[in-house]
Amino acid sequence: MEDIYRSLDYFSNYKEELETLIWNNTKNTYNRDTTHTYYDCTNYYFEINYNDTDLVDEEGNIIEKSYRKRGPEKNHRPDPIIQMGLLMDSNNIPLAYDLFPGNESEKSSLRPIHTRTKIKFNLERTIVVADRGLNTSDNIYSLVGDNSKEKNFDGYIYGQSIRGADKEFKEWVLDQNGYKVDKVVDIDGHVETFRKAIFNDQGQIVGYEQAEVEFKHKSRIYPKELTLKVGDKRNKKVRTDQKQLVYYSQKYADKQKRERNQMIERAKDLIKNPKKYNKLTAAGSAAYVNNLKFVKDTGEIANGLELSLNIKKIEEEEKYDGYYSIVTSELDMDDFELRKRYRGLSKIEESFKITKSELESRPVFVWTKEHIEAHFLTCFVSLIILRLLEQKLNYKYSIKKIINSLKNFGCTEEFSNIYMLFNNSEVIEELNNLYHTDITKKRISKSHIKKFLN
């Protein structure tokens, strides 16, 4: 175990070199496509009760920020967290990643990793796809500038909040003029269907029916005004053309209504029994309660509050159930293509789940800065290997099945210099054919093992 910890100190120094080495050795062999790149952030928790302190000089200036800080953990845990930003190519293979403190906003994390990766890998124009949390004026401007045709600017596809948008945008969304209705078809040309929920007057699900998936959508080119920060002030105005797409999905509407009804039921219970809840357990439902306040030190709900259900907020949210918006710099991109590209973000979320479950990257048990960095470096390299194997196997097997097949496959010494192989599987069979390793035999010599490992 001590040798493993010592190796973490060593490997923490080679993140940039490893990223570049992997890129150079895979870009052609695996047809790495960076015409579109996907970016998203997640966080990982530490089972400790304190924030790390930053390293400061004698005047109190921060020399080095520490990672483990309390912030908005994905599952609302109170533990300190570290945040990771991951950049992937169009084939879902990771390109690069960054770590940053748990109490920092993810909004400013995109520009450094995007700029560094483009320079380091000598990438041409790429369209960055990210969710609405990264949709800021600074992130838009860093990719497209002032739309100058003389410069080789990149592009973007971002999710766009509707409920958080301005009045004009909301009115455009709800205005039914201009919407087109199309059936959604799969790659074989079949119309997609889903289980449509049936609600009673109280908003409770009483059954389901099969329904075809429809894509009601409209789009426009709109002059987007960006407000940029210059020095300490955010006062520079820049205009850039933007394509805005809004679409309606009954499946999405059912999901939003179902999730909100669950939160409303909890909000009603909170109003009746405020002592049962605190700031952590009230998360989600607290937004639907008027006059709710928490005690700063304990997180408990303050005494003597006149709590009531926020009917106005519920009615406002219901207006936009089922609507979703995407914005892009690509003015000529087809509505269906735009939605297809944006939906590719689900693969980066899947990658985060793989690191947290199959690769067991959390909770994180190391604590020094070097060990933390090396821990996530090993997870990053493992994720790349799995994605490359997934591609090599023509996406026939899930990542979980690939991992389990590799974990279970092994050998044991039967006689002197002779090893018996066990737990062969269809995944191992295919890898054997791909890499010509002869590992599907029942018995194999030690010299043969050394040969194909070399």
Side-chain angles (χ1 to χ4, degrees):
M1 183 62 70
E2 290 181 2
D3 290 338
I4 293 175
Y5 277 113
R6 279 197 295 271
S7 73
L8 295 178
D9 288 317
Y10 175 82
F11 284 113
S12 67
N13 297 317
Y14 292 98
K15 172 182 177 290
E16 300 295 329
E17 289 84 349
L18 273 171
E19 286 180 346
T20 304
L21 178 68
I22 292 169
W23 167 256
N24 289 335
N25 289 337
T26 61
K27 62 181 178 181
N28 297 322
T29 309
Y30 290 86
N31 299 315
R32 311 258 331 240
D33 179 7
T34 56
T35 54
H36 289 76
T37 51
Y38 293 91
Y39 182 76
D40 201 1
C41 298
T42 193
N43 52 54
Y44 302 83
Y45 66 87
F46 294 78
E47 292 185 330
I48 56 175
N49 297 320
Y50 55 86
N51 285 341
D52 283 341
T53 55
D54 297 326
L55 181 64
V56 298
D57 60 21
E58 294 178 354
E59 297 178 356
N61 300 312
I62 297 177
I63 301 173
E64 183 179 86
K65 294 181 179 179
S66 62
Y67 286 137
R68 304 186 299 177
K69 301 285 184 70
R70 287 189 176 90
E73 202 271 334
K74 296 292 183 182
N75 298 309
H76 309 292
R77 294 175 64 98
D79 310 284
I81 58 175
I82 186 173
Q83 302 201 69
M84 173 192 280
L86 181 65
L87 188 67
M88 296 199 322
D89 68 15
S90 301
N91 298 324
N92 312 317
I93 302 171
L95 285 163
Y97 73 98
D98 267 348
L99 301 174
F100 54 100
N103 61 348
E104 287 189 1
S105 170
E106 66 179 34
K107 293 180 180 180
S108 60
S109 66
L110 170 61
R111 298 189 297 279
I113 190 172
H114 170 260
T115 302
R116 188 181 70 252
T117 304
K118 280 206 69 177
I119 295 172
K120 185 167 63 175
F121 297 164
N122 193 28
L123 302 182
E124 297 182 354
R125 185 178 192 265
T126 183
I127 300 170
V128 178
V129 186
D131 68 15
R132 59 192 181 189
L134 280 301
N135 184 0
T136 68
S137 290
D138 293 328
N139 286 340
I140 290 175
Y141 189 75
S142 71
L143 293 172
V144 301
D146 56 2
N147 278 3
S148 171
K149 302 297 182 183
E150 299 177 2
K151 299 178 181 179
N152 185 27
F153 283 114
D154 293 311
Y156 65 86
I157 297 173
Y158 290 137
Q160 167 66 47
S161 170
I162 295 176
R163 294 186 177 115
D166 59 35
K167 182 181 178 182
E168 189 279 333
F169 189 85
K170 289 179 177 178
E171 290 175 350
W172 176 68
V173 168
L174 295 179
D175 183 357
Q176 297 306 300
N177 291 323
Y179 275 102
K180 301 175 185 177
V181 179
D182 297 286
K183 303 291 184 184
V184 176
V185 296
D186 60 24
I187 57 175
D188 297 319
H190 302 124
V191 177
E192 292 185 9
T193 61
F194 74 104
R195 292 174 69 224
K196 180 181 177 182
I198 303 172
F199 296 90
N200 61 18
D201 294 337
Q202 287 73 44
Q204 299 169 326
I205 297 176
V206 294
Y208 293 91
E209 62 182 356
Q210 205 68 19
E212 294 181 341
V213 178
E214 291 185 342
F215 182 56
K216 183 172 81 169
H217 61 106
K218 66 177 179 178
S219 58
R220 66 179 183 178
I221 308 298
Y222 198 79
K224 173 71 174 178
E225 184 175 82
L226 308 177
T227 305
L228 307 175
K229 189 174 183 179
V230 180
D232 296 330
K233 296 183 179 179
R234 188 171 289 280
N235 55 11
K236 181 181 178 181
K237 303 289 185 179
V238 175
R239 288 209 167 196
T240 180
D241 289 337
Q242 181 182 79
K243 178 174 182 178
Q244 299 174 338
L245 164 70
V246 61
Y247 66 88
Y248 176 85
S249 163
Q250 183 63 51
K251 183 178 180 180
Y252 185 45
D254 288 351
K255 178 177 181 290
Q256 288 182 300
K257 187 170 185 177
R258 182 168 60 250
E259 291 176 350
R260 185 174 54 253
N261 285 342
Q262 291 173 351
M263 290 298 103
I264 290 172
E265 290 304 311
R266 285 186 61 206
K268 290 178 179 177
D269 187 58
L270 186 154
I271 293 169
K272 291 180 180 178
N273 308 288
K275 294 296 183 183
K276 283 173 55 178
Y277 296 86
N278 55 36
K279 192 172 184 178
L280 181 63
T281 57
S285 57
Y288 300 103
V289 180
N290 289 318
N291 306 319
L292 185 62
K293 294 180 181 179
F294 298 96
V295 179
K296 185 176 180 180
D297 294 335
T298 64
E300 296 176 347
I301 296 175
N303 295 322
L305 301 177
E306 294 185 10
L307 304 178
S308 61
L309 199 62
N310 192 337
I311 302 298
K312 186 176 180 180
K313 179 179 176 63
I314 294 170
E315 291 176 346
E316 179 66 16
E317 285 191 358
E318 286 175 341
K319 293 180 186 178
Y320 307 102
D321 280 355
Y323 289 98
Y324 202 94
S325 181
I326 306 169
V327 298
T328 182
S329 57
E330 309 310 291
L331 308 183
D332 299 324
M333 186 174 284
D334 175 77
D335 287 2
F336 278 91
E337 179 66 16
L338 176 56
R339 183 167 177 256
K340 176 184 174 183
R341 291 292 180 182
Y342 185 74
R343 289 177 70 180
L345 267 177
S346 63
K347 283 294 182 181
I348 203 166
E349 184 62 35
E350 180 188 74
S351 291
F352 287 142
K353 289 179 180 177
I354 290 168
T355 65
K356 293 177 180 181
S357 56
E358 311 305 331
L359 298 179
E360 300 178 359
S361 61
R362 67 173 188 186
V364 188
F365 296 110
V366 291
W367 64 275
T368 68
K369 186 179 180 70
E370 292 77 17
H371 289 182
I372 290 170
E373 290 174 346
H375 169 77
F376 286 104
L377 178 60
T378 61
C379 294
F380 174 76
V381 174
S382 300
L383 180 61
I384 291 178
I385 292 171
L386 288 168
R387 286 300 193 194
L388 293 176
L389 285 175
E390 182 185 40
Q391 187 187 106
K392 272 286 190 181
L393 294 166
N394 293 318
Y395 303 98
K396 288 172 61 177
Y397 308 103
S398 68
I399 292 291
K400 185 173 183 177
K401 186 165 186 176
I402 294 172
I403 290 175
N404 287 338
S405 296
L406 293 172
K407 278 184 175 180
N408 294 331
F409 181 69
C411 65
T412 183
E413 188 173 19
E414 187 176 25
F415 305 108
S416 177
N417 202 39
I418 299 297
Y419 287 79
M420 182 172 66
L421 304 175
F422 57 85
N423 288 339
N424 196 6
S425 68
E426 57 182 326
V427 173
I428 298 299
E429 291 274 1
E430 290 212 32
L431 290 174
N432 179 70
N433 295 332
L434 282 169
Y435 295 105
H436 312 291
T437 55
D438 289 335
I439 57 174
T440 56
K441 296 179 179 179
K442 288 188 176 181
R443 291 174 178 83
I444 195 169
S445 68
K446 186 175 183 179
S447 59
H448 202 93
I449 293 174
K450 287 183 176 181
K451 182 179 178 181
F452 69 67
L453 285 177
N454 288 333

